[in-house]
Amino acid sequence: PPAPRVIDATAAALCIQMGDISFYRLSKEAQSLIISSKLPMADAEGLARYLIENTCLDVEALARNPDLLSEALARFDVPQAVQMAVSTVLVTPSLSSDEMKISALLGILDPFMDDVTKLEPYYEHAKPESVLKELTNIDAELFAETVKSSKRLYARGEKMCGTWINNLLRQLKEQDKTEEKETTT
C-alpha cells in the first residue's frame, strides 16, 4: 500500500482540487485501498507530488474546511503558506457565520503556532493592512471564547496556558539547544 505520507498528500490534494472533502474524510485504510487499486506506488508518489505542485487552490473551499486548510498550510514553504493564509483571511467575509470565520482563522493559526518560524517573515510576504481590515469584522468575544474553550490559549491565574503556549515553549527549547550546540562546536 502507499506510504501514509503519500496517502495524506494525495487525499489532501484531491480534496483541494475537487473542492470536496468526502475522500479526505474516508478512513486511511479506505484511502489507501482506493489509491493503491488505481495505480502502483511509484505512480502514487508522482501523482501526489503533481497534485500538490499543480493544483489550483480554491481558497474559499479551504476556508470552509479548516482541517484541510491547516494541513495544506503545514505542508507549504513559508511564502506559499503566508500567501494562502492571507488569501484565506480575505475571503472570510464570504463565509456565512462567525463560527465558520473563526474556524477558518484557527485553521490558519494552528500550523503557524506549530512552527513559529513561519510567522517571522510574515511582513515580507503579506499586506497587513488589508488583512487587519478583514479581521475587524470578526466577533472578537466569540473568537476569544472559542480559543479559550478549545484550550489553545487560556489563563490559569496569572499564567498563560494552552496548546499554543506549549508549542511555543517547545520551539524555544529546541532553538536554545541548537544555539547551544553551535556555540560549543
Side-chain angles (χ1 to χ4, degrees):
R5 63 184 176 75
V6 174
I7 296 169
D8 290 343
T10 305
L14 286 171
C15 292
I16 292 167
Q17 188 176 38
M18 297 183 304
D20 176 15
I21 61 167
S22 56
F23 184 81
Y24 185 75
R25 292 211 170 144
L26 293 174
S27 70
K28 294 292 181 202
E29 294 80 17
Q31 291 174 359
S32 175
L33 180 64
I34 291 168
I35 293 169
S36 62
S37 70
K38 297 291 183 193
L39 55 156
M41 180 61 184
D43 290 344
E45 287 183 343
L47 172 65
R49 203 170 32 257
Y50 172 81
L51 288 170
I52 288 172
E53 292 169 1
N54 297 297
T55 298
C56 178
L57 297 175
D58 181 348
V59 179
E60 191 168 340
L62 286 173
R64 293 178 188 282
N65 299 287
D67 293 339
L68 190 58
L69 172 62
S70 288
E71 186 171 321
L73 287 171
R75 291 174 188 270
F76 287 148
D77 292 330
V78 172
Q80 292 85 6
V82 170
Q83 182 180 8
M84 183 189 294
V86 169
S87 298
T88 305
V89 168
L90 295 176
V91 301
T92 56
S94 67
L95 299 176
S96 59
S97 69
D98 280 340
E99 288 81 5
M100 289 180 72
K101 294 173 185 178
I102 290 168
S103 291
L105 289 176
L106 294 176
I108 293 168
L109 291 171
D110 285 339
F112 283 98
M113 295 307 288
D114 286 342
D115 184 0
V116 177
T117 61
K118 288 186 174 182
L119 289 175
E120 293 169 3
Y122 171 80
Y123 286 102
E124 294 176 29
H125 301 286
K127 303 244 183 296
E129 62 279 354
S130 60
V131 174
L132 290 174
K133 181 178 176 242
E134 295 305 330
L135 292 177
T136 59
N137 298 322
I138 304 291
D139 182 333
E141 288 181 27
L142 182 59
F143 180 79
E145 184 55 40
T146 303
V147 169
K148 180 181 174 183
S149 65
S150 67
K151 304 237 185 270
R152 286 176 170 92
L153 184 65
Y154 60 95
R156 184 180 296 148
E158 293 184 17
K159 183 179 177 183
M160 294 302 294
C161 304
T163 56
W164 287 351
I165 296 294
N166 295 341
N167 286 339
L168 182 59
L169 292 174
R170 176 188 45 79
Q171 292 172 66
L172 290 173
K173 286 178 185 175
E174 289 172 5
Q175 186 178 9
D176 287 345
K177 287 179 185 177
T178 303
E179 288 174 0
E180 193 174 290
K181 285 181 183 178
E182 290 174 358
T183 58
T184 58
T185 53

